[in-house]
Amino acid sequence: MWRQVLLYFRTHSYHADNCQAKETLQNEDDVKAAQWIFKPMGSERMEMRKRQMSTTQETPGTAQAQHSTGNRGSNACCFCWCCCCSCSCLTVRNQDEERARRTSHELQAEGIPNCEESPAPTLEEVNGWAQSFDKLMLTPAGRNAFREFLRTEFSEENMLFWMACEELKQESNKSVIEEKARLIYEDYISILSPKEVSLDSRVREVINRNMLEPSQHTFDDAQLQIYTLMHRDSYPRFMNSAIYKDLLQSLSEKSIEA
């Protein structure tokens, strides 16, 4: 073993690279002996040599490829370990993101749906809203005020769904009924809709059966459930809200001035 090491140093300088010396040795004992001999070089010199070798091996094209891969890594799915730009999963994801942005833009362009046309409510009418939820929902002015309050609680879809069901009941043409029922389902019943209303599983099963042959009463059970929800949950808060109190105070002041 020692004879091989001495023979090596006769033909190479003492400062040869540690890695190159190891390649000429034939077994583990030779490697250990070479490590002991090269110990005076110090760990700092060895680290410097390793950095120089790694820098030399890395090319600009490799660095650029790694940078591009890093940029694509955040968009890669769990199946696409290669992060290639032609990955079908990335294409689908990009299409979904574009569709979501387009949908969001369309919703912003549409804005808030217009309220019902109605004359200004009277003081007597507004006082009547506090007597029962039915009186509030009977008048367009009451529905508009309540709808404005629901909008502040991000639950306006409940009123919109109830009103859509009321419109459906007024239709008699079969093709119009089927089209409106489909739109109501997509807008307020589908779990994919951003305006989905809260319904229990029993009511959803009834709706799914009714949608096989849509009619004016396809959503009657759902409409009643949402009406009850608004009555028990939102209506008490509306009566204590600034929207109702300000309207009542404004009408009271006008009544006193008159």
Side-chain angles (χ1 to χ4, degrees):
M1 176 183 68
W2 289 104
R3 185 175 302 170
Q4 293 178 357
V5 173
L6 293 176
L7 180 62
Y8 177 85
F9 279 106
R10 289 178 182 176
T11 57
H12 296 78
S13 64
Y14 177 80
H15 298 289
D17 189 358
N18 187 17
C19 295
Q20 294 177 354
K22 288 181 183 179
E23 292 177 357
T24 62
L25 303 180
Q26 303 299 321
N27 53 52
E28 185 177 355
D29 293 336
D30 295 342
V31 173
K32 292 181 180 179
Q35 290 176 345
W36 181 82
I37 294 174
F38 290 136
K39 187 174 182 180
M41 295 178 63
S43 59
E44 294 180 358
R45 181 178 176 83
M46 294 173 64
E47 289 295 332
M48 185 180 298
R49 295 284 294 176
K50 290 179 180 179
R51 293 194 190 99
Q52 292 176 353
M53 293 178 62
S54 61
T55 304
T56 304
Q57 292 175 357
E58 183 178 2
T59 61
T62 304
Q64 183 178 2
Q66 291 177 352
H67 178 71
S68 302
T69 303
N71 292 337
R72 292 194 300 265
S74 59
N75 293 327
C77 65
C78 57
F79 299 104
C80 303
W81 59 271
C82 61
C83 304
C84 58
C85 58
S86 61
C87 174
S88 60
C89 298
L90 293 180
T91 303
V92 172
R93 177 173 295 185
N94 292 335
Q95 291 176 352
D96 292 341
E97 292 176 352
E98 179 63 26
R99 189 180 300 111
R101 287 193 295 268
R102 185 170 60 253
T103 302
S104 176
H105 177 73
E106 292 173 354
L107 290 176
Q108 293 176 359
E110 291 176 0
I112 300 173
N114 295 326
C115 294
E116 298 177 81
E117 294 183 1
S118 67
T122 64
L123 178 60
E124 181 181 1
E125 185 178 0
V126 174
N127 281 325
W129 297 348
Q131 297 175 5
S132 70
F133 183 63
D134 293 337
K135 288 186 177 182
L136 172 69
M137 294 291 286
L138 279 175
T139 63
R143 291 193 293 269
N144 286 339
F146 187 53
R147 180 177 167 184
E148 182 181 355
F149 168 75
L150 293 177
R151 191 177 301 140
T152 64
E153 293 198 335
F154 306 99
S155 58
E156 184 184 12
E157 64 275 3
N158 290 333
M159 176 64 77
L160 296 177
F161 170 69
W162 185 87
M163 294 171 60
C165 292
E166 288 295 300
E167 292 181 3
L168 180 63
K169 292 178 181 179
Q170 306 302 320
E171 296 293 341
S172 57
N173 186 286
K174 183 177 180 181
S175 60
V176 175
I177 290 174
E178 291 179 351
E179 178 64 16
K180 284 194 173 185
R182 183 185 63 80
L183 292 176
I184 291 174
Y185 188 94
E186 292 178 354
D187 288 342
Y188 305 108
I189 308 301
S190 173
I191 60 176
L192 301 178
S193 172
K195 298 185 294 184
E196 177 195 5
V197 296
S198 178
L199 300 171
D200 59 37
S201 58
R202 181 192 64 83
V203 173
R204 287 184 175 276
E205 290 177 359
V206 172
I207 293 174
N208 290 334
R209 289 197 299 267
N210 292 341
M211 285 298 293
L212 298 176
E213 294 183 5
S215 68
Q216 300 98 320
H217 305 287
T218 296
F219 303 100
D220 282 1
D221 290 350
Q223 185 186 22
L224 178 60
Q225 189 170 101
I226 294 301
Y227 187 89
T228 303
L229 176 64
M230 292 189 294
H231 183 192
R232 295 178 179 177
D233 185 61
S234 302
Y235 173 64
R237 292 197 298 274
F238 168 72
M239 300 311 302
N240 294 318
S241 67
I243 293 177
Y244 176 74
K245 291 181 178 180
D246 291 347
L247 178 60
L248 185 61
Q249 182 179 357
S250 175
L251 295 174
S252 299
E253 292 174 353
K254 291 181 180 179
S255 178
I256 294 174
E257 293 176 358

